[in-house]
Amino acid sequence: MYSEEHLYSIALRECNLIGDINFYKLVRIFGGAKNAWENAKKNYSNVDGIGRKIVSDIGNPEHLKFAEKELKFCEKNNIKINLRHLQNLPKLLRECEDAPAILYQKGNFEREKQKISIVGTRNMTSYGKQFIHDFFEETQSENYVSVSGLALGVDKEVHEQSIHFQIPTIAVLAHGFHTLYPSKNKKLSEKILEENGTLFTEFNSSRKPDRENFIQRNRIVAGISPATIVVETAFGGGSISTATFANNYNREVYALPGKITDRQSQGCNNLIFQNKATAISTMKDLIDSLGLNPTKEKIEELFPRIEESIQLTENQELIYNKIIHHPQITLDDLAEKIELSSHKILPIILELELLGKVKSFSGRQFLAI
């Protein structure tokens, strides 16, 4: 089940000063964890940014002994070991510069389904709870997987509503698989696995749920998905770090606005004010922006709006119709289909965005709203 590469990856990652970024540098240059373990100490000068001090702990036999025990623990507990340098990580997460070198996994992971991360405060209000319920109710027929952190409050509600509406869910933990924190969510973690979901952690079985692990964990929640929804958070809440990671990874961030006097909405309002998140104005707009297309004819809106008839120009109509019939079409493909140069299409796309007819995604992809 496990190879020598798994053994040496665990040992190498356990070395002092070998974090995820340095680990990835070493395995790329030396061709793998075993080769890095055997050669990095004498040939470290071949790697930019790696000095004698960084490689000083490589080769420590105690780390190999620990790795052997860890492999036995993983085998006993049916834990899969995903290695970044072997392309085992989820695709979007793998693209992040600081992606985990090792990602431990329990349960089934559906790679092809779209991921949507939903996070928020442990002190959730009825407003946030209602939003989560409505979101999953309106998207229950869609082919996606929810992602959250298995904390109390918003995270717990996300996982529970996912299970209720039969949507697979991923929980990212801030500790090793030897424990479960908070213990109140132990049964929920078991239910996630029973319902075809996944538990992920970058931490081995020696790692406890220390405070700093939760912030570190949040980058995985942000990195695994193209979009993160912040439901409720106060100023300085942990969800702000998740939104920051998502922004740094050039992912979409959405925040649920609330009253300026409501403490658990102040963080969301601030993200919106600083242009670090798109305000969620209606459920329909959010679902459309995420690229989900519910089959229900009517979607309840958070705030009612008046629909106005907009008359498009000939070129706007041409481009808009192509995007309707080819969801998430790229700029190059669009230019080829309508035989118009990219630099002439982009201003028209901008006009359609301002009219609320088109949504742009990273990689110059477009979706009709």
Side-chain angles (χ1 to χ4, degrees):
M1 184 177 179
Y2 307 116
S3 66
E4 277 194 329
E5 194 62 16
H6 290 101
L7 175 71
Y8 284 96
S9 292
I10 294 171
L12 184 63
R13 184 61 182 82
E14 193 67 9
C15 294
N16 294 331
L17 304 181
I18 304 297
D20 294 310
I21 293 175
N22 283 339
F23 179 102
Y24 197 54
K25 285 181 183 178
L26 290 168
V27 296
R28 279 188 302 165
I29 294 297
F30 292 104
K34 183 181 180 182
N35 287 339
W37 181 268
E38 294 173 344
N39 298 296
K41 212 162 186 177
K42 54 188 175 184
N43 296 308
Y44 64 86
S45 58
N46 294 338
V47 188
D48 288 340
I50 300 291
R52 183 187 298 274
K53 186 176 180 181
I54 289 175
V55 300
S56 62
D57 198 30
I58 294 177
N60 185 335
E62 292 302 314
H63 298 325
L64 268 181
K65 288 181 184 178
F66 172 81
E68 289 170 356
K69 290 180 181 178
E70 193 66 15
L71 289 184
K72 289 177 182 177
F73 173 81
C74 290
E75 187 170 6
K76 180 181 178 181
N77 293 280
N78 198 27
I79 296 167
K80 184 178 180 182
I81 304 172
N82 299 293
L83 302 180
R84 181 189 180 190
H85 66 286
L86 296 187
Q87 311 296 307
N88 298 150
L89 266 59
K91 184 177 182 297
L92 286 179
L93 181 61
R94 197 168 67 231
E95 294 173 359
C96 303
E97 182 186 17
D98 58 351
I102 304 170
L103 190 64
Y104 299 93
Q105 172 187 333
K106 274 189 177 184
N108 180 59
F109 176 64
E110 303 195 45
R111 291 183 177 272
E112 302 307 315
K113 287 188 176 182
Q114 180 178 341
K115 315 298 182 297
I116 299 174
S117 295
I118 309 174
V119 298
T121 178
R122 288 169 170 78
N123 302 307
M124 177 182 58
T125 71
S126 58
Y127 174 56
K129 184 172 184 176
Q130 186 65 50
F131 169 81
I132 295 168
H133 174 272
D134 291 350
F135 177 80
F136 282 106
E137 184 177 47
E138 299 298 350
T139 60
Q140 61 185 296
S141 62
E142 300 310 303
N143 195 29
Y144 75 98
V145 179
S146 71
V147 184
S148 202
L150 201 64
L152 298 176
V154 167
D155 290 11
K156 182 174 183 286
E157 191 69 18
V158 167
H159 297 307
E160 288 182 339
Q161 291 296 327
S162 290
I163 291 168
H164 177 74
F165 287 106
Q166 298 183 315
I167 294 167
T169 188
I170 295 170
V172 187
L173 311 181
H175 51 75
F177 278 128
H178 62 298
T179 188
L180 197 289
Y181 179 86
S183 57
K184 291 179 181 179
N185 283 348
K186 190 173 192 306
K187 287 186 178 179
L188 176 57
S189 71
E190 293 167 355
K191 188 68 174 174
I192 288 170
L193 296 177
E194 288 172 11
E195 298 297 326
N196 207 35
T198 318
L199 302 181
F200 276 138
T201 183
E202 65 183 305
F203 301 106
N204 61 48
S205 64
S206 71
R207 299 293 296 276
K208 299 176 182 179
D210 295 326
R211 183 182 181 88
E212 62 271 15
N213 291 359
F214 290 89
I215 299 297
Q216 192 171 325
R217 177 273 309 275
N218 289 347
R219 84 190 194 291
I220 296 178
V221 175
I224 204 171
S225 302
T228 292
I229 300 170
V230 184
V231 178
E232 287 184 306
T233 187
F235 283 124
S239 300
I240 300 298
S241 70
T242 310
T244 301
F245 282 123
N247 278 309
N248 291 340
Y249 298 147
N250 197 28
R251 309 293 166 78
E252 299 289 340
V253 179
Y254 301 90
L256 180 67
K259 295 178 182 178
I260 60 173
T261 53
D262 290 349
R263 185 171 182 272
Q264 301 305 339
S265 289
Q266 289 172 352
C268 289
N269 292 342
N270 195 47
L271 285 171
I272 295 165
F273 177 73
Q274 293 184 339
N275 294 318
K276 292 180 179 179
T278 299
I280 299 171
S281 59
T282 71
M283 192 67 77
K284 180 181 186 304
D285 284 347
L286 172 62
I287 292 170
D288 286 344
S289 294
L290 292 170
L292 302 176
N293 298 294
T295 54
K296 298 173 81 173
E297 290 183 7
K298 183 180 179 182
I299 297 178
E300 181 181 356
E301 299 184 351
L302 293 175
F303 308 109
R305 65 177 180 180
I306 300 172
E307 295 289 346
E308 296 180 2
S309 178
I310 300 172
Q311 188 68 38
L312 300 180
T313 67
E314 184 178 342
N315 280 340
Q316 287 174 343
E317 189 76 41
L318 173 65
I319 292 172
Y320 181 60
N321 285 333
K322 287 295 180 187
I323 295 173
I324 286 177
H325 292 101
H326 301 87
Q328 293 193 270
I329 189 172
T330 65
L331 179 61
D332 291 341
D333 288 344
L334 189 57
E336 184 179 337
K337 287 184 183 297
I338 63 176
E339 297 182 351
L340 199 64
S341 62
S342 299
H343 75 273
K344 290 184 178 179
I345 292 175
L346 278 174
I348 300 171
I349 292 284
L350 179 59
E351 292 168 1
L352 290 170
E353 282 192 275
L354 293 173
L355 290 170
K357 306 292 284 184
V358 165
K359 172 74 176 176
S360 295
F361 292 89
S362 58
R364 287 189 168 185
Q365 299 180 75
F366 309 105
L367 183 74
I369 299 174

